[in-house]
């Protein structure tokens, strides 16, 4: 599952002692395990071996170039959503012919750049966008390869902010309109119809929404294959991971405010569920996983600055804030938090505590009323499962420099992004 383990009371990433890395690079610090990322990618790819397939890693989950390079070297493609992501991916060694360009609001300069680089496909989200891409391609005397993003209208049963596959959302083209929009696309000289795409949401922990979506879109795939000779069906990403008790690989509830307990969806369960319908289609299948590949492969290290008591409450104020990892504040999502050095005597004495950041907002918390071993000032903590949608969503709010990132490979650790300085904060500004 992942390579974060205690060895004699000290938390290791692969063969690296995390307390030592925190000393060397300071905190807050994101640390990723190259071994875990590679393992997740190869296991998913192997499970799909019976299909003609391409795993397009969703760059938005973690876009550090060192991470993208791992995927490029493993042979992955990339699901990108902006010119900036395409630029990063190419710099990291990605083959543009393995990149799909998604997103509801592509800009002219982004479309031009993607055309010049020769992306595999533009995943088109509306008829207006189709026309816009057609006009830009015509002006450049080129032809844009496209797939329409179909909204299959299924409930992915996940947090409302990351559910995308129902008609309530801004994403994709309704299944009932698909044939007409494809007919329109077929009339356009600067458009080449190459595929069909869908994505129903993120952190999905059941097979049913995936099966329902594939089954709903499969007849369209057959129809488009015979009419236009499309060559791929992209089924999106969305596979959920374990956020709770991840160190013991137990799985409980993910969203702290979600009603029912959810279990983790294993790669095998997911693939077994969708494989029969996909095999039948006899077409190249693209997947766009992000979180599954990198989520459990990263942690955020942070140090306790102060312990504060106020009334009956106790707080640990840590040096990471909502600007470094916004998921708890934005989605009330649960992240397991563990001490990097286990102290047996303190383990026996657990207590409820809020783990909060230094930012001036009450939403700046990582855990509320969390049962933890007794915490003291100076303790180093690991916020687990922070490899996806962690650093990429960080900001400079409160003029806090962006944290550093490090990548572990067996017993080696490399700084893959320097911590920002105060000078970095004002660079580019004029008075
Ligand atoms: N494909 C498309 C079209 C997407 O919109 C997304 C994610 C993915 C693939 C990758 O989904 P994944 O396999 O990672 O679930 N910030 C949120 C997650 C936002 C996901 C947005 N779209 C979070 O922290 O939970």
């Amino acid at each position: 599952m992942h390579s974060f383990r205690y060895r004699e009371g000290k938390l290791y990433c692969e063969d690296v002692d995390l307390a030592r890395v925190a000393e060397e690079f300071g905190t807050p610090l994101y640390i990723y395990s190259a071994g875990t990322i590679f393992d997740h990618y190869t296991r998913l790819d192997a499970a799909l071996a019976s299909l003609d397939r391409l795993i397009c890693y969703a760059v938005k989950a973690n876009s550090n170039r060192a991470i993208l390079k791992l995927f490029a070297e493993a042979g992955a493609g990339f699901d990108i959503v902006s010119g900036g992501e395409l630029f990063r991916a190419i710099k990291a060694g990605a083959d543009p012919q393995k990149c799909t360009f998604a997103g509801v609001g592509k800009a002219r300069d982004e479309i031009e750049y993607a055309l010049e680089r020769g992306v595999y496909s533009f995943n088109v989200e509306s008829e207006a966008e189709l026309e816009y891409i057609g006009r830009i391609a015509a002006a450049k005397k080129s032809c844009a390869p496209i797939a329409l993003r179909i909204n299959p209208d299924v409930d992915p049963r996940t947090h409302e902010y990351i559910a995308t596959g129902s008609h309530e959302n801004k994403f994709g083209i309704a299944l009932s309109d698909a044939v007409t929009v494809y007919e329109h696309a077929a009339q356009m000289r600067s458009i080449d119809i190459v595929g069909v795409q869908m994505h129903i949401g993120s952190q999905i922990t059941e097979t049913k929404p995936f099966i329902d979506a594939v089954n709903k879109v499969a007849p369209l795939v057959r129809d488009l294959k015979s009419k236009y000779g499309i060559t791929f069906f992209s089924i999106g990403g969305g596979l959920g991971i374990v956020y709770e008790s991840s160190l013991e690989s137990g799985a409980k509830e993910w969203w702290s405010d979600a009603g029912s307990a959810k279990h983790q969806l294993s790669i095998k369960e997911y693939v077994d569920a969708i494989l029969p319908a996909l095999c039948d289609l006899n077409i190249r299948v693209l997947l766009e996983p992000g979180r599954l590949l990198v989520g459990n492969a990263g942690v955020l290290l942070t140090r306790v600055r102060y312990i504060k008591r106020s009334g009956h409450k106790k707080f640990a104020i840590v040096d990471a804030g909502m600007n470094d990892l916004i998921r708890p504040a934005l989605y009330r999502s649960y992240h397991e938090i563990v001490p990097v050095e286990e102290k047996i005597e303190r383990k026996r004495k657990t207590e409820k505590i809020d783990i909060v950041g230094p930012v001036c907002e009450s939403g700046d918390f990582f855990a509320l009323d969390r049962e933890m071993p007794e915490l003291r000032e100076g303790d180093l903590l690991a916020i687990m499962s922070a490899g996806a949608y962690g650093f990429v969503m960080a900001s400079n709010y409160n003029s806090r420099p962006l944290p550093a990132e490090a990548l572990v490979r067996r017993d080696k650790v490399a700084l893959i992004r320097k911590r920002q300085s105060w000078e970095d904060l004002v660079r580019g500004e004029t008075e």
Side-chain angles (χ1 to χ4, degrees), residues 58 60 79 162 199 202 238 288-291 327 331 389 393:
K60 64 173 82 64
D79 166 48
I162 55 173
H199 170 78
S202 195
E288 303 165 0
R291 191 188 317 262
R327 305 191 67 261
Y331 315 111
Y389 307 109
M393 295 178 83

Side-chain angles (χ1 to χ4, degrees), residues 120-320:
Y120 185 51
S121 169
F122 288 85
N123 294 340
V124 176
E125 302 247 5
S126 64
E127 210 158 358
E129 186 198 331
L130 177 68
E131 282 172 16
Y132 193 53
I133 294 175
R135 283 203 299 277
I136 295 172
K140 287 181 88 63
K141 300 203 173 14
S142 109
C143 194
I146 65 105
L148 295 187
R149 174 170 177 177
I150 301 305
N151 187 327
D153 197 23
V154 299
D155 179 4
R157 291 159 54 90
T158 184
H159 189 281
E160 59 174 330
Y161 285 7
I162 55 173
T164 53
S166 92
H167 285 166
E168 305 285 306
N169 310 116
K170 66 181 175 187
F171 299 98
I173 292 165
L175 189 53
S176 51
D177 297 336
V179 170
T180 323
V181 184
Y182 269 108
E183 276 166 6
H184 180 179
Q187 314 286 308
M188 298 169 69
R189 275 203 294 154
S190 302
I191 292 288
D192 185 17
I193 298 172
V194 291
V196 61
Q197 193 264 352
M198 67 175 188
H199 170 78
I200 55 173
S202 195
Q203 184 57 21
I204 299 169
T205 53
E206 306 163 53
T207 51
K208 189 172 179 315
F210 290 116
I211 301 174
D212 288 353
V214 169
N215 285 337
K216 270 182 132 174
V217 180
L220 176 71
V221 176
R222 280 198 190 88
D223 183 38
L224 297 172
K225 215 176 134 194
S226 69
K227 277 191 191 142
Y228 310 113
I230 64 162
T231 52
F232 75 84
F233 176 25
S234 173
I235 59 168
L239 279 93
I241 62 165
V242 169
Y243 278 91
E244 196 161 324
S245 310
S246 71
L247 275 173
E248 293 122 53
S249 26
K252 290 188 209 149
E253 200 171 337
W254 178 56
W255 301 107
S256 51
D257 58 353
S260 61
K262 292 172 178 172
H263 78 294
Q264 190 209 9
L265 187 58
S266 71
I267 288 176
K268 184 172 177 339
E269 264 179 288
Y270 169 75
V271 172
D272 284 352
I274 55 171
L275 211 54
L278 293 173
C279 282
D280 266 7
L281 290 173
N282 206 8
I283 194 167
R284 182 172 216 210
V285 173
L286 266 57
L287 286 88
E288 303 165 0
R291 191 188 317 262
L292 173 84
L293 301 178
V294 294
N296 288 134
V299 301
L300 174 60
L301 293 186
T302 183
R303 213 174 270 286
V304 177
R305 275 201 191 138
Y306 304 109
I307 298 290
K308 174 173 172 177
R309 281 190 180 77
S310 161
H312 65 284
K313 296 267 324 174
K314 193 170 174 187
F315 300 93
I317 299 161
V318 298
D319 63 4

Side-chain angles (χ1 to χ4, degrees), residues 357-391:
V359 170
C360 305
E361 300 232 14
S362 298
D364 181 28
F365 59 80
F366 295 112
L368 300 177
D369 280 327
R370 182 77 58 89
E371 198 73 39
M372 292 288 294
E374 190 201 352
L375 295 181
R376 299 199 188 146
E377 287 171 18
D379 281 354
L380 189 61
L381 301 176
I383 305 180
M384 305 300 294
S385 310
Y389 307 109
F391 183 92

